[in-house]
Amino acid sequence: MTQTGHTSTSPGKQMLSEQVYAHLRDAIMRGVYAPGDALKPQDLAKEQGVSLAVVREALVRVVGEGLADRLPNRGFAVPAVSDRRWQEIAEARRTIEPLVLRMSIERGDVDWEARVRAAHHRLARTPAYVPEEGEYYSSAWSEAHRAFHRTLLEGCGNPVLLETFDRMWTASELARRWSARRTDRDDAREHRRLEEAALARDADTAAELLAQHVTQTAAGLTGRVSTAVEM
């Protein structure tokens, strides 16, 4: 009976943990919690009407994505963001992503090419800004943007490298959500050139374009992250 009871309650706990995780992720990405804010398990458990165990399980997942830090003897907190931190993220992306893109172009098959084309088409057709989300990039565009960049790299066939990308992207997107306003960059042209170089199997050009793309993003956010946080 004990085994049966465990089987029947485990899915429920898992579902609750998934709900709390989704709530936390969305709240952090929308800026409900400011950089450096504490994420107190007791408060979250009371707010969400769940157990501490469920909240801690969700928090561990959020930490794993880079959306929260686990502090020694101090619990959990939203990552603090600074120009230096953003530059470190950008440096990591500039170092790793062009190399993975080269691998992707070398190893990617026709199915990968089709996915790249589809991901770019979706991105190009998704509005970057919508009235209800103000000056921030729209949630739909942000997701299409992530999917395009990840699809470019998926041809590498290495899940460890893709997991590294996922973590770097989440940290990068968090900084963007805290700081990004409308810019004069021609994102559409940059993405179109990336797609064209990748599908032409021009690894040198694609890698160079991707490095430039990340560098320009970093340059655009430097100074604005701190300003947004202070506001």
Side-chain angles (χ1 to χ4, degrees):
M1 290 180 65
T2 302
Q3 185 175 2
T4 303
H6 175 75
T7 302
S8 62
T9 57
S10 181
K13 180 183 175 184
Q14 185 177 0
M15 183 176 68
L16 287 173
S17 178
E18 183 69 31
Q19 291 173 353
V20 174
Y21 158 76
H23 165 78
L24 275 172
R25 194 183 196 287
D26 180 63
I28 293 170
M29 292 301 294
R30 286 190 294 108
V32 173
Y33 299 102
D37 274 0
L39 297 171
K40 300 177 181 179
Q42 294 89 344
D43 293 348
L44 289 167
K46 184 176 180 180
E47 174 191 320
Q48 297 295 308
V50 297
S51 69
L52 274 174
V54 167
V55 169
R56 289 186 181 280
E57 187 175 314
L59 281 167
V60 167
R61 286 187 63 187
V62 174
V63 169
E65 284 198 348
L67 288 175
D69 292 330
R70 190 166 196 166
L71 309 175
N73 303 316
R74 290 166 52 199
F76 302 87
V78 177
V81 173
S82 64
D83 281 350
R84 179 177 178 179
R85 174 61 176 159
W86 170 243
Q87 291 291 349
E88 289 170 349
I89 294 168
E91 181 179 53
R93 290 188 60 195
R94 279 197 306 269
T95 302
I96 295 172
E97 289 181 37
L99 292 174
V100 181
L101 180 55
R102 286 181 177 276
M103 293 170 60
S104 195
I105 290 171
E106 291 170 4
R107 300 176 180 177
D109 56 15
V110 174
D111 287 340
W112 168 75
E113 290 182 359
R115 292 196 304 274
V116 169
R117 190 172 294 280
H120 179 261
H121 180 75
R122 178 185 171 198
L123 176 60
R125 293 299 184 93
T126 303
Y129 302 99
V130 293
E132 57 269 27
E133 296 190 46
E135 295 295 300
Y136 291 100
Y137 285 115
S138 72
S139 298
W141 186 89
S142 294
E143 172 54 25
H145 188 216
R146 182 202 66 81
F148 172 66
H149 277 270
R150 195 183 198 279
T151 303
L152 280 172
L153 306 185
E154 286 176 353
C156 76
N158 186 319
V160 176
L161 287 172
L162 293 174
E163 287 170 10
T164 301
F165 164 81
D166 289 339
R167 187 177 178 88
M168 290 190 302
W169 183 270
T170 299
S172 174
E173 189 66 10
L174 187 58
R176 187 198 307 278
R177 289 294 295 177
W178 279 332
S179 63
R181 300 293 191 274
R182 291 181 184 270
T183 69
D184 295 327
R185 277 179 72 184
D186 191 348
D187 290 306
R189 180 174 180 271
E190 292 176 30
H191 293 136
R192 184 175 64 253
R193 293 181 68 197
L194 265 172
E195 181 214 20
E196 290 171 350
L199 296 184
R201 303 286 177 160
D202 186 346
D204 289 341
T205 299
E208 182 180 353
L209 287 171
L210 184 54
Q212 291 173 358
H213 185 70
V214 174
T215 298
Q216 289 180 16
T217 299
L221 289 182
T222 299
R224 292 161 60 193
V225 171
S226 298
T227 301
V229 170
E230 289 165 5
M231 291 172 63

